[in-house]
PDB file of all heavy atoms in Angstrom:
ATOM      1  N   SER M  28       9.815  20.451   9.915  1.00 95.00           N
ATOM      2  CA  SER M  28       8.863  20.024  10.956  1.00 95.00           C
ATOM      3  C   SER M  28       7.806  19.025  10.464  1.00 95.00           C
ATOM      4  O   SER M  28       7.555  18.032  11.108  1.00 95.00           O
ATOM      5  CB  SER M  28       8.091  21.296  11.509  1.00 95.00           C
ATOM      6  OG  SER M  28       8.999  22.175  12.106  1.00 95.00           O
ATOM      7  N   LEU M  29       7.308  19.277   9.293  1.00 95.00           N
ATOM      8  CA  LEU M  29       6.301  18.376   8.678  1.00 95.00           C
ATOM      9  C   LEU M  29       6.931  17.008   8.438  1.00 95.00           C
ATOM     10  O   LEU M  29       6.360  15.971   8.822  1.00 95.00           O
ATOM     11  CB  LEU M  29       5.762  18.967   7.368  1.00 95.00           C
ATOM     12  CG  LEU M  29       4.813  18.062   6.631  1.00 95.00           C
ATOM     13  CD1 LEU M  29       3.575  17.737   7.378  1.00 95.00           C
ATOM     14  CD2 LEU M  29       4.481  18.729   5.252  1.00 95.00           C
ATOM     15  N   ILE M  32       7.505  14.942  11.558  1.00 96.00           N
ATOM     16  CA  ILE M  32       6.256  14.327  11.965  1.00 96.00           C
ATOM     17  C   ILE M  32       5.915  13.063  11.181  1.00 96.00           C
ATOM     18  O   ILE M  32       5.673  12.022  11.744  1.00 96.00           O
ATOM     19  CB  ILE M  32       5.068  15.297  11.933  1.00 96.00           C
ATOM     20  CG1 ILE M  32       5.237  16.361  13.002  1.00 96.00           C
ATOM     21  CG2 ILE M  32       3.731  14.635  12.068  1.00 96.00           C
ATOM     22  CD1 ILE M  32       4.331  17.604  12.821  1.00 96.00           C
ATOM     23  N   LEU M  33       6.020  13.136   9.865  1.00 97.00           N
ATOM     24  CA  LEU M  33       5.753  12.053   8.964  1.00 97.00           C
ATOM     25  C   LEU M  33       6.727  10.926   9.290  1.00 97.00           C
ATOM     26  O   LEU M  33       6.360   9.756   9.337  1.00 97.00           O
ATOM     27  CB  LEU M  33       5.820  12.467   7.530  1.00 97.00           C
ATOM     28  CG  LEU M  33       4.654  13.311   7.086  1.00 97.00           C
ATOM     29  CD1 LEU M  33       4.957  13.934   5.729  1.00 97.00           C
ATOM     30  CD2 LEU M  33       3.362  12.524   6.991  1.00 97.00           C
ATOM     31  N   LEU M  36       5.856   9.236  12.647  1.00 98.00           N
ATOM     32  CA  LEU M  36       4.620   8.414  12.495  1.00 98.00           C
ATOM     33  C   LEU M  36       4.849   7.257  11.629  1.00 98.00           C
ATOM     34  O   LEU M  36       4.321   6.112  11.956  1.00 98.00           O
ATOM     35  CB  LEU M  36       3.446   9.244  11.953  1.00 98.00           C
ATOM     36  CG  LEU M  36       2.907  10.327  12.911  1.00 98.00           C
ATOM     37  CD1 LEU M  36       1.912  11.188  12.190  1.00 98.00           C
ATOM     38  CD2 LEU M  36       2.254   9.625  14.116  1.00 98.00           C
ATOM     39  N   PHE M  72      -2.084   5.156   9.436  1.00 98.00           N
ATOM     40  CA  PHE M  72      -1.015   6.098   9.390  1.00 98.00           C
ATOM     41  C   PHE M  72      -1.602   7.423   8.745  1.00 98.00           C
ATOM     42  O   PHE M  72      -1.377   8.558   9.298  1.00 98.00           O
ATOM     43  CB  PHE M  72       0.103   5.591   8.492  1.00 98.00           C
ATOM     44  CG  PHE M  72       1.142   6.575   8.104  1.00 98.00           C
ATOM     45  CD1 PHE M  72       2.057   7.002   8.999  1.00 98.00           C
ATOM     46  CD2 PHE M  72       1.187   7.017   6.791  1.00 98.00           C
ATOM     47  CE1 PHE M  72       3.035   7.964   8.597  1.00 98.00           C
ATOM     48  CE2 PHE M  72       2.141   7.973   6.392  1.00 98.00           C
ATOM     49  CZ  PHE M  72       3.076   8.386   7.279  1.00 98.00           C
ATOM     50  N   ALA M  73      -2.336   7.343   7.683  1.00 97.00           N
ATOM     51  CA  ALA M  73      -2.877   8.524   6.991  1.00 97.00           C
ATOM     52  C   ALA M  73      -3.783   9.271   7.899  1.00 97.00           C
ATOM     53  O   ALA M  73      -3.697  10.563   7.932  1.00 97.00           O
ATOM     54  CB  ALA M  73      -3.592   8.077   5.739  1.00 97.00           C
ATOM     55  N   ILE M  74      -4.640   8.630   8.628  1.00 97.00           N
ATOM     56  CA  ILE M  74      -5.561   9.310   9.576  1.00 97.00           C
ATOM     57  C   ILE M  74      -4.766  10.029  10.649  1.00 97.00           C
ATOM     58  O   ILE M  74      -5.089  11.157  10.965  1.00 97.00           O
ATOM     59  CB  ILE M  74      -6.528   8.302  10.127  1.00 97.00           C
ATOM     60  CG1 ILE M  74      -7.536   7.797   9.028  1.00 97.00           C
ATOM     61  CG2 ILE M  74      -7.300   8.895  11.316  1.00 97.00           C
ATOM     62  CD1 ILE M  74      -8.361   6.602   9.426  1.00 97.00           C
ATOM     63  N   GLN M  75      -3.733   9.368  11.172  1.00 97.00           N
ATOM     64  CA  GLN M  75      -2.941   9.993  12.231  1.00 97.00           C
ATOM     65  C   GLN M  75      -2.164  11.163  11.645  1.00 97.00           C
ATOM     66  O   GLN M  75      -2.026  12.233  12.380  1.00 97.00           O
ATOM     67  CB  GLN M  75      -2.024   9.021  12.873  1.00 97.00           C
ATOM     68  CG  GLN M  75      -1.300   9.498  14.043  1.00 97.00           C
ATOM     69  CD  GLN M  75      -2.242   9.898  15.161  1.00 97.00           C
ATOM     70  OE1 GLN M  75      -3.134   9.094  15.565  1.00 97.00           O
ATOM     71  NE2 GLN M  75      -2.188  11.104  15.684  1.00 97.00           N
ATOM     72  N   VAL M  76      -1.700  11.091  10.464  1.00 97.00           N
ATOM     73  CA  VAL M  76      -1.021  12.258   9.815  1.00 97.00           C
ATOM     74  C   VAL M  76      -1.951  13.377   9.694  1.00 97.00           C
ATOM     75  O   VAL M  76      -1.645  14.587  10.123  1.00 97.00           O
ATOM     76  CB  VAL M  76      -0.435  11.875   8.446  1.00 97.00           C
ATOM     77  CG1 VAL M  76      -0.035  13.061   7.648  1.00 97.00           C
ATOM     78  CG2 VAL M  76       0.727  10.896   8.569  1.00 97.00           C
ATOM     79  N   ARG M  77      -3.173  13.177   9.199  1.00 96.00           N
ATOM     80  CA  ARG M  77      -4.188  14.221   9.026  1.00 96.00           C
ATOM     81  C   ARG M  77      -4.443  14.849  10.353  1.00 96.00           C
ATOM     82  O   ARG M  77      -4.510  16.137  10.528  1.00 96.00           O
ATOM     83  CB  ARG M  77      -5.469  13.572   8.429  1.00 96.00           C
ATOM     84  CG  ARG M  77      -6.550  14.669   8.254  1.00 96.00           C
ATOM     85  CD  ARG M  77      -7.935  14.025   8.173  1.00 96.00           C
ATOM     86  NE  ARG M  77      -8.274  13.352   9.400  1.00 96.00           N
ATOM     87  CZ  ARG M  77      -9.195  12.434   9.498  1.00 96.00           C
ATOM     88  NH1 ARG M  77      -9.892  12.066   8.427  1.00 96.00           N
ATOM     89  NH2 ARG M  77      -9.425  11.796  10.699  1.00 96.00           N
ATOM     90  N   ASP M  78      -4.737  14.025  11.391  1.00 96.00           N
ATOM     91  CA  ASP M  78      -5.037  14.621  12.722  1.00 96.00           C
ATOM     92  C   ASP M  78      -3.923  15.318  13.358  1.00 96.00           C
ATOM     93  O   ASP M  78      -4.137  16.435  13.980  1.00 96.00           O
ATOM     94  CB  ASP M  78      -5.545  13.476  13.617  1.00 96.00           C
ATOM     95  CG  ASP M  78      -6.797  12.856  13.171  1.00 96.00           C
ATOM     96  OD1 ASP M  78      -7.512  13.410  12.321  1.00 96.00           O
ATOM     97  OD2 ASP M  78      -7.148  11.755  13.735  1.00 96.00           O
ATOM     98  N   THR M  79      -2.737  14.885  13.181  1.00 95.00           N
ATOM     99  CA  THR M  79      -1.545  15.543  13.781  1.00 95.00           C
ATOM    100  C   THR M  79      -1.275  16.871  13.083  1.00 95.00           C
ATOM    101  O   THR M  79      -0.955  17.911  13.714  1.00 95.00           O
ATOM    102  CB  THR M  79      -0.273  14.636  13.616  1.00 95.00           C
ATOM    103  OG1 THR M  79      -0.594  13.382  14.354  1.00 95.00           O
ATOM    104  CG2 THR M  79       0.891  15.272  14.328  1.00 95.00           C
ATOM    105  N   ILE M  80      -1.331  16.859  11.775  1.00 93.00           N
ATOM    106  CA  ILE M  80      -1.113  18.142  11.035  1.00 93.00           C
ATOM    107  C   ILE M  80      -2.112  19.178  11.236  1.00 93.00           C
ATOM    108  O   ILE M  80      -1.832  20.310  11.278  1.00 93.00           O
ATOM    109  CB  ILE M  80      -0.930  17.766   9.554  1.00 93.00           C
ATOM    110  CG1 ILE M  80       0.097  16.798   9.354  1.00 93.00           C
ATOM    111  CG2 ILE M  80      -0.797  19.003   8.601  1.00 93.00           C
ATOM    112  CD1 ILE M  80       1.222  16.972   8.410  1.00 93.00           C
ATOM    113  N   ALA M  81      -3.353  18.727  11.491  1.00 91.00           N
ATOM    114  CA  ALA M  81      -4.379  19.680  11.789  1.00 91.00           C
ATOM    115  C   ALA M  81      -4.139  20.500  13.102  1.00 91.00           C
ATOM    116  O   ALA M  81      -4.569  21.590  13.330  1.00 91.00           O
ATOM    117  CB  ALA M  81      -5.748  18.978  11.912  1.00 91.00           C
ATOM    118  N   GLU M  82      -3.319  19.892  13.957  1.00 86.00           N
ATOM    119  CA  GLU M  82      -2.989  20.495  15.259  1.00 86.00           C
ATOM    120  C   GLU M  82      -1.717  21.482  15.122  1.00 86.00           C
ATOM    121  O   GLU M  82      -1.434  22.152  16.103  1.00 86.00           O
ATOM    122  CB  GLU M  82      -2.683  19.457  16.287  1.00 86.00           C
ATOM    123  CG  GLU M  82      -3.817  18.549  16.653  1.00 86.00           C
ATOM    124  CD  GLU M  82      -3.493  17.389  17.536  1.00 86.00           C
ATOM    125  OE1 GLU M  82      -2.309  17.337  17.959  1.00 86.00           O
ATOM    126  OE2 GLU M  82      -4.352  16.575  17.756  1.00 86.00           O
ATOM    127  N   MET M  83      -1.130  21.495  13.960  1.00 78.00           N
ATOM    128  CA  MET M  83       0.106  22.307  13.793  1.00 78.00           C
ATOM    129  C   MET M  83      -0.300  23.855  13.748  1.00 78.00           C
ATOM    130  O   MET M  83      -1.237  24.223  13.230  1.00 78.00           O
ATOM    131  CB  MET M  83       0.823  21.985  12.496  1.00 78.00           C
ATOM    132  CG  MET M  83       1.582  20.648  12.608  1.00 78.00           C
ATOM    133  SD  MET M  83       2.492  20.332  11.105  1.00 78.00           S
ATOM    134  CE  MET M  83       3.887  21.370  11.218  1.00 78.00           C
TER     135      MET M  83
END
Side-chain angles (χ1 to χ4, degrees):
S28 295
L29 174 63
I32 289 168
L33 288 166
L36 289 172
F72 169 75
I74 291 167
Q75 188 61 52
V76 167
R77 180 200 63 198
D78 293 349
T79 302
I80 300 230
E82 296 173 7
M83 286 181 77

